[in-house]
Amino acid sequence: WWYDIYGVADVHAEGWTGKGVKIAVIDSQINPDLPDFQGADLTVAEGSACVGKDPSTSVASAGAQHGSTVTAMLIGNGTGVAGTKGIVPDASVTFYGLGATGDCEPTAEVKDSGHEPMGWMIQRAIDDGADIITTSTVVGVSTVADVETIAELVAKKIPFVAGNPNDAFKEGALPAGFAGVVAVSAVDQEGKLPLGALGVENQIGETTVVAPGVDISTIGDGSA
């Protein structure tokens, strides 16, 4: 629904397709072999942040579906089961897989860096030359090294787009809550904020913009 309501096709017709832009997507996992990504400029960065997890997988899971879906919303070609067409189909996307968003045992490399898994991936994206960094996962970013990384991307004027929690009463608000980060809250087809567990609108004070995040068709295993 968001593709038509936002007039994405009209924007593409004007020549705004993301060509020449390097986007880093940080999420749990992705299935890069889905038909949605055929012909797209998609790279999966090696190594996850969690022990025993790979950044890519063909096994259907909540994490793989989430990472695949948000990436398809950027560069999907519309041929998959959900028909997802990307907002910036000509952009170059590198996917950085955390490996998990819960029950994650950080790898030795992450521990040695002084970062939380999310902060480590943000630093990797900066070092790899990302023009834009985006994440829709809400996980810990709290160490001194993490804060220094956020400060670095702000100083370098690298836009960092981070999703707010879907229920502010149940989850934290980092990394979206940091100053200098574009904090995004989900809205439905009518532009309304979703209700949290207590039946209250998910109003978060740090919100910069809102974007489609309710009733989104998901992908992840090639069959559903």
Side-chain angles (χ1 to χ4, degrees):
W1 60 263
W2 51 270
Y3 190 91
D4 294 328
I5 288 179
Y6 278 52
V8 178
D10 294 334
V11 176
H12 290 170
E14 295 177 3
W16 298 94
T17 62
K19 188 177 180 64
V21 179
K22 297 177 63 176
I23 302 175
V25 175
I26 304 174
D27 211 288
S28 50
Q29 290 179 303
I30 189 173
N31 183 348
D33 297 325
L34 292 172
D36 307 75
F37 303 126
Q38 296 304 307
D41 187 354
L42 172 63
T43 300
V44 179
E46 293 184 1
S48 74
C50 303
V51 174
K53 300 290 184 179
D54 292 321
S56 62
T57 180
S58 60
V59 178
S61 66
Q65 289 173 351
H66 190 274
S68 299
T69 298
V70 297
T71 303
M73 291 175 72
L74 291 173
I75 55 174
N77 57 27
T79 64
V81 291
T84 305
K85 298 178 181 179
I87 298 173
V88 283
D90 294 331
S92 173
V93 171
T94 299
F95 183 89
Y96 296 84
L98 295 169
T101 54
D103 298 324
C104 172
E105 171 64 26
T107 65
E109 189 173 4
V110 173
K111 291 179 179 178
D112 291 344
S113 73
H115 287 97
E116 297 280 357
M118 173 63 75
W120 186 68
M121 285 302 189
I122 297 170
Q123 187 64 58
R124 287 185 62 187
I126 294 172
D127 296 342
D128 289 344
D131 297 316
I132 299 171
I133 303 173
T134 180
T135 185
S136 298
T137 61
V138 182
V139 294
V141 182
S142 58
T143 70
V144 172
D146 292 335
V147 174
E148 290 175 343
T149 291
I150 297 295
E152 179 181 351
L153 68 84
V154 171
K156 291 182 175 179
K157 299 182 179 180
I158 302 171
F160 180 30
V161 182
N164 279 324
N166 290 323
D167 189 343
F169 289 99
K170 295 175 62 180
E171 304 175 68
L174 296 177
F178 281 115
V181 175
V182 180
V184 186
S185 285
V187 290
D188 63 18
Q189 191 168 346
E190 297 179 352
K192 295 181 179 179
L193 295 167
L195 300 180
L198 299 181
V200 179
E201 279 194 340
N202 189 40
Q203 298 182 17
I204 298 176
E206 294 84 0
T207 301
T208 310
V209 296
V210 295
V214 180
D215 294 330
I216 300 297
S217 298
T218 59
I219 62 176
D221 66 356
S223 64

